[in-house]
């Protein structure tokens, strides 16, 4: 029977992969498709060579989208991973499984990813974020790359030719089935005047364009993508008290203010408590699809979660960890990389990745040198950053 015949018995199709040792029944096409849709990406990449029909099926936009939809809800296979990079080998990425839960790392799998571009190792590589298995990274001063670490495919975005970005955000426009990158910088015309140009790249059009911005300059990045919007910390003047969180909707391209929790702690200076001066910072993150705020109080950190997006009253403190409880003496504050829905926190502390779940913590990974890592979570997928393939999904 011809290699490309879709009705070729399943036993014959996988014979080379199994060595003929596992007898399998003949199954209808529909059942085979349902089985393949529930396999991890690593297996699917191998199964593309079984036949032309399987290659066509697994590479089809409809299969890729359906596989992503199923895998994000599947608790059987390890689809969720953490990816991070660290100096001095900034062109090397590491990734390991977050399955089934963040606090169960006994079967951690660490993989080494060589960055697919030939770059100067002295150039820093920043992780902007991830959506649907695509990871956005910035190389050097402004080379933006979309990369699928599960398949190894990547796309270097065209330079806008107008703006060299300082801060970046990455998100998915579900209504238009489009992946977008936002870049912005702060331009000083004189000591009393500045502007904040903002550009958005669309994968669907493969182009950059300027968008409206409400004013103020973004003083911290990357932006955090939650609920269809990229969230930025924005300052309106030289007074460090006058900063807000702006939610930039990437579909409507409108912006709105989002209120942070207002915790009260008698031991803290009010200004420091609000994260607007001194040694305290308020950083933004995401957990389980919810926006998070990390309040660094110099002696401890509070992590808050907005459980109902846009509702100020839904902010809830999910964990507080004191710095003195960590016996690893390094000249760094912990950096939160990931927060689980059950209150576990994965933090970078010097050369260590540490899981903290009150009241205990344990070492996950030792990097071998004191570094500050950049990280993002991603779901394994077959989504391609290649524009030609992406355009065919319409």
């Amino acid at each position: 029977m011809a290699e490309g015949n879709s009705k070729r018995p399943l036993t014959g199709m996988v014979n080379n992969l199994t060595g003929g040792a596992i007898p399998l029944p003949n199954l209808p096409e529909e059942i085979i498709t349902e089985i393949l849709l529930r396999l991890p990406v690593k297996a699917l990449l191998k199964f593309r060579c079984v036949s032309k029909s399987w290659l066509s099926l697994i590479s089809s936009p409809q299969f890729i989208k359906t596989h992503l939809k199923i895998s994000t809800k599947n608790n059987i296979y390890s689809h969720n991973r953490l990816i991070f990079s660290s100096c001095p080998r900034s062109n090397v990425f590491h990734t390991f499984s977050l399955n089934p839960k963040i606090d169960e790392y006994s079967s951690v799998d660490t993989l080494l990813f060589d960055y697919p571009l030939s770059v100067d190792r002295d150039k820093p590589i920043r992780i902007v974020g991830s959506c649907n298995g695509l990871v956005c990274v910035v190389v050097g001063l402004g080379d933006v790359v979309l990369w699928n670490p599960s398949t190894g495919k990547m796309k270097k975005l065209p330079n806008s030719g107008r703006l060299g970005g300082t801060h970046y955000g990455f998100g998915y426009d579900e209504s238009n089935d489009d992946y977008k990158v936002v870049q912005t910088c702060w331009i000083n015309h004189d000591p009393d005047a500045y502007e904040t140009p903002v550009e958005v790249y669309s994968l669907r059009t493969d182009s950059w364009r300027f968008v409206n911005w409400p004013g103020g300059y973004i003083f911290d990045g990357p932006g955090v993508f939650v609920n269809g919007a990229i969230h930025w910390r924005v300052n309106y003047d030289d007074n460090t008290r006058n900063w807000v969180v702006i939610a930039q909707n990437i579909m409507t391209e409108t912006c709105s203010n989002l209120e942070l929790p207002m915790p009260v702690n008698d031991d803290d200076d009010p200004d420091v408590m609000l994260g607007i001066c001194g040694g305290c910072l308020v950083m933004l993150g995401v957990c389980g699809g919810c926006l998070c705020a990390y309040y660094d109080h110099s002696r401890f950190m509070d992590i808050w979660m907005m459980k109902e997006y846009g509702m100020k009253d839904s902010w809830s403190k999910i964990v507080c960890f004191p710095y003195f409880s960590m016996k690893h003496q390094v000249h760094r504050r912990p950096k939160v990389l990931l927060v689980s829905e059950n209150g576990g926190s994965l933090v970078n502390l010097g050369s260590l990745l540490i899981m903290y779940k009150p009241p205990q913590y344990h070492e996950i990974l030792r990097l071998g040198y004191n570094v500050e890592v950049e990280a993002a979570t991603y779901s394994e997928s077959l989504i391609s950053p290649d524009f030609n393939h992406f355009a065919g999904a319409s």
Side-chain angles (χ1 to χ4, degrees):
M1 189 172 292
E3 175 72 6
N5 192 330
S6 62
K7 295 184 179 180
R8 181 183 177 185
L10 181 62
T11 302
M13 296 175 111
V14 299
N15 187 56
N16 291 335
L17 294 176
T18 64
I22 305 176
L24 296 174
N26 296 336
L27 297 175
E29 254 183 84
E30 296 76 12
I31 300 300
I32 293 175
T33 299
E34 289 299 316
I35 293 174
L36 293 176
L37 283 170
R38 285 157 177 80
L39 294 180
V41 171
K42 185 176 181 180
L44 291 174
L45 294 177
K46 293 180 179 179
F47 287 168
R48 290 182 303 178
C49 67
V50 168
S51 70
K52 292 181 180 179
S53 62
W54 278 31
L55 173 62
S56 177
L57 172 65
I58 295 172
S59 303
S60 67
Q62 185 58 46
F63 181 94
I64 291 173
K65 287 185 177 182
T66 305
H67 178 267
L68 174 66
K69 183 177 180 180
I70 292 175
S71 67
T72 54
K73 299 178 180 179
N74 191 346
N75 294 322
I76 299 176
Y77 296 103
S78 174
H79 293 286
N80 297 319
R81 306 185 72 85
L82 180 82
I83 186 169
F84 64 94
S85 64
S86 58
C87 294
R89 299 183 64 194
S90 59
N91 63 331
V92 175
F93 289 83
H94 308 272
T95 178
F96 56 81
S97 171
L98 300 178
N99 184 66
K101 293 181 180 179
I102 186 174
D103 55 342
E104 296 178 7
Y105 276 101
S106 57
S107 59
V108 61
D109 180 24
T110 302
L111 300 176
L112 184 64
F113 280 85
D114 289 324
Y115 192 70
L117 290 178
S118 296
V119 297
D120 184 345
R121 291 198 175 192
D122 291 334
K123 288 184 178 180
I125 297 180
R126 291 173 286 167
I127 298 178
V128 176
S130 72
C131 288
N132 296 339
L134 294 183
V135 178
C136 179
V137 299
V138 177
V139 182
L141 297 178
D143 290 336
V144 185
V145 177
L146 298 184
W147 175 39
N148 185 328
S150 300
T151 64
K153 293 184 178 180
M154 69 83 157
K155 174 182 175 64
K156 180 184 178 300
L157 306 191
N159 293 326
S160 69
R162 298 180 297 269
L163 181 65
T166 300
H167 299 300
Y168 296 85
F170 177 53
Y172 175 61
D173 179 351
E174 186 174 1
S175 296
N176 297 304
D177 191 20
D178 196 5
Y179 293 87
K180 296 181 177 180
V181 177
V182 178
Q183 68 172 357
T184 180
C185 66
W186 180 29
I187 300 177
N188 248 337
H189 294 291
D190 59 60
D192 299 319
Y194 66 90
E195 63 175 323
T196 307
V198 177
E199 282 186 299
V200 174
Y201 168 85
S202 163
L203 183 60
R204 185 166 287 279
T205 64
D206 195 30
S207 62
W208 294 89
R209 62 187 180 86
F210 284 104
V211 296
N212 293 328
W213 183 250
Y217 63 91
I218 298 170
F219 65 93
D220 183 53
V224 177
F225 180 70
V226 176
N227 201 55
I230 297 176
H231 299 76
W232 309 94
R233 296 199 305 165
V234 177
N235 200 318
Y236 285 107
D237 53 41
D238 292 335
N239 187 340
T240 56
R241 298 182 62 90
N242 297 331
W243 71 274
V244 297
V245 173
I246 295 291
Q248 181 186 22
N249 188 299
I250 62 171
M251 180 192 70
T252 63
E253 297 181 351
T254 57
C255 296
S256 59
N257 287 18
L258 190 144
E259 294 188 71
L260 288 173
M262 300 290 287
V264 176
N265 190 314
D266 295 337
D267 296 331
D268 287 329
D269 181 283
D271 287 348
V272 174
M273 179 194 70
L274 297 177
I276 53 182
C277 71
C280 180
L281 296 173
V282 179
M283 306 297 292
L284 300 178
V286 61
C287 166
C290 296
L291 186 69
C292 289
Y294 312 141
Y295 282 71
D296 185 344
H297 296 271
S298 73
R299 300 186 308 276
F300 62 93
M301 178 176 286
D302 288 334
I303 301 178
W304 294 72
M305 175 189 292
M306 179 178 269
K307 296 187 174 181
E308 186 175 351
Y309 185 80
M311 302 298 293
K312 181 182 178 181
D313 292 341
S314 72
W315 281 108
S316 176
K317 186 165 68 172
I318 60 174
V319 66
C320 170
F321 59 84
Y323 294 164
F324 65 81
S325 70
M326 298 186 179
K327 300 176 183 178
H328 305 83
Q329 298 298 320
V330 295
H331 299 290
R332 293 182 184 273
R333 289 179 178 176
K335 178 180 180 180
V336 179
L337 303 180
L338 184 67
V339 181
S340 70
E341 297 179 38
N342 61 3
S345 303
L346 182 66
V347 298
N348 168 222
L349 184 65
S351 63
L352 304 174
L353 295 186
I354 294 174
M355 168 55 58
Y356 177 82
K357 186 178 180 183
Q360 298 178 334
Y361 65 93
H362 61 275
E363 180 180 322
I364 300 299
L365 184 66
R366 184 177 294 270
L367 302 177
Y369 36 76
N370 284 351
V371 296
E372 182 173 353
V373 306
E374 294 192 349
T377 59
Y378 72 98
S379 297
E380 291 181 310
S381 80
L382 295 166
I383 298 293
S384 173
D386 181 70
F387 173 68
N388 293 327
H389 183 275
F390 176 78
S394 300

